[in-house]
Amino acid sequence: MSDITFHVKRFDPESGAPPRYEDFVVDVQGSMTVLEALFAIQEKQDGSLAFRYCCRSSICGSCAMYINGRYRLACQTNVLHLGVPTVTVEPLPHVPVVRDLVWDMDDFFAKYEAIKPWLIRNSQLPDTEVTQSPAERHKLNMPIDCILCAACYSSCPSVWGEEHFLGPAALLKAYRFEVDSRDEAGKERLPSWDNERGVYRCHTITNCIEACPKELSPTEGIQWLKGSAVRRRLLGRKK
């Protein structure tokens, strides 16, 4: 058991007061995660503390936060493994905060939806499933693990400086369907990302790679999309 101080950034828009930090001491035991510590604070010290969560299993992305200066999933972060007496918990930076650790994701998901992130078939569906070879399925291994936590989006300087930039998460999803052998909407989806507010706004800073809690590489997908766009323009290729 260990008493750990949680230095939590608070913000209540209804109060009219600016954001502030508030300290809470939590008796941390065993494998307690930051998310569990936030529950303890909410249940025993301040029921007004606001934060997002869902699966508690590191697969939904809801509890992405800025913890001790790094992008992390609160449910994946063991408090004692941080090895410090004080844990600073903040909402993701560079995004509009609704309350405390909750931020407004409307713009993020609007950009995500803009690239039509679903499988589209234009030909007649066969009587059996649309199969893939192991090599075709292998292309999806990296992008399919994106959980839309938006850590990459929050960390991207291009997002900070250009409000209409789609961002690395949406572009990684565009890549995911571009390399899916079952999808037939490449031409239809192309205009959504082949423009100055899409892949060409990425300056390959790679903050997204460092921020991603699933260790994915949005930069890799974006660079592939750039190459695909050039091949289509110059050589008339589909991919």
Side-chain angles (χ1 to χ4, degrees):
M1 297 185 295
S2 180
D3 285 343
I4 301 294
T5 298
F6 284 80
H7 191 55
V8 183
K9 192 170 186 178
R10 307 294 304 274
F11 174 59
D12 182 0
E14 295 183 358
S15 70
R20 71 188 192 283
Y21 287 88
E22 191 170 349
D23 289 345
F24 303 92
V25 177
V26 178
D27 180 15
V28 175
Q29 304 183 34
S31 59
M32 178 180 280
T33 65
V34 171
L35 181 62
E36 290 171 330
L38 293 175
F39 276 124
I41 294 170
Q42 189 184 64
E43 293 170 2
K44 300 177 181 179
Q45 300 186 50
D46 189 342
S48 69
L49 178 63
F51 53 91
R52 280 197 182 103
Y53 71 95
C54 187
C55 73
R56 309 191 196 188
S57 303
S58 308
I59 58 173
C60 76
S62 299
C63 66
M65 301 176 190
Y66 202 58
I67 301 171
N68 279 8
R70 287 189 58 187
Y71 295 87
R72 306 174 190 264
L73 298 177
C75 70
Q76 191 181 46
T77 306
N78 184 300
V79 177
L80 296 182
H81 288 179
L82 294 174
V84 292
T86 300
V87 177
T88 300
V89 185
E90 303 167 291
L92 294 183
H94 310 291
V95 291
V97 176
V98 177
R99 183 185 177 103
D100 296 340
L101 304 174
V102 178
W103 64 282
D104 188 344
M105 301 187 75
D106 287 351
D107 189 56
F108 171 78
F109 278 112
K111 293 173 179 177
Y112 169 65
E113 291 174 6
I115 59 99
K116 299 182 179 180
W118 52 84
L119 194 68
I120 299 175
R121 296 282 298 182
N122 295 319
S123 60
Q124 183 176 355
L125 290 175
D127 295 331
T128 58
E129 69 271 15
V130 180
T131 60
Q132 286 184 302
S133 68
E136 290 170 335
R137 177 57 180 80
H138 181 75
K139 295 178 181 179
L140 304 179
N141 285 354
M142 185 272 287
I144 206 170
D145 284 340
C146 173
I147 58 175
L148 297 175
C149 68
C152 63
Y153 183 83
S154 168
S155 74
C156 178
S158 295
V159 171
W160 310 343
E162 172 50 68
E163 63 175 335
H164 299 299
F165 174 47
L166 289 176
L171 291 173
L172 180 62
K173 286 295 184 178
Y175 167 70
R176 175 254 182 274
F177 287 100
E178 282 290 313
V179 296
D180 193 325
S181 60
R182 300 164 298 177
D183 188 81
E184 298 176 340
K187 185 176 181 180
E188 179 181 340
R189 196 178 285 111
L190 180 65
S192 68
W193 54 262
D194 182 21
N195 56 67
E196 63 178 4
R197 299 294 181 256
V199 292
Y200 306 114
R201 185 61 59 177
C202 171
H203 300 304
T204 322
I205 300 170
T206 70
N207 279 17
C208 54
I209 299 176
E210 183 177 353
C212 181
K214 306 301 284 187
E215 300 183 350
L216 308 182
S217 177
T219 302
E220 176 185 334
I222 293 171
Q223 297 310 305
W224 187 95
L225 289 175
K226 289 179 180 178
S228 174
V230 170
R231 289 190 295 272
R232 289 178 180 184
R233 290 174 183 272
L234 298 181
L235 304 175
R237 294 181 179 176
K238 294 182 179 181
K239 297 289 187 179

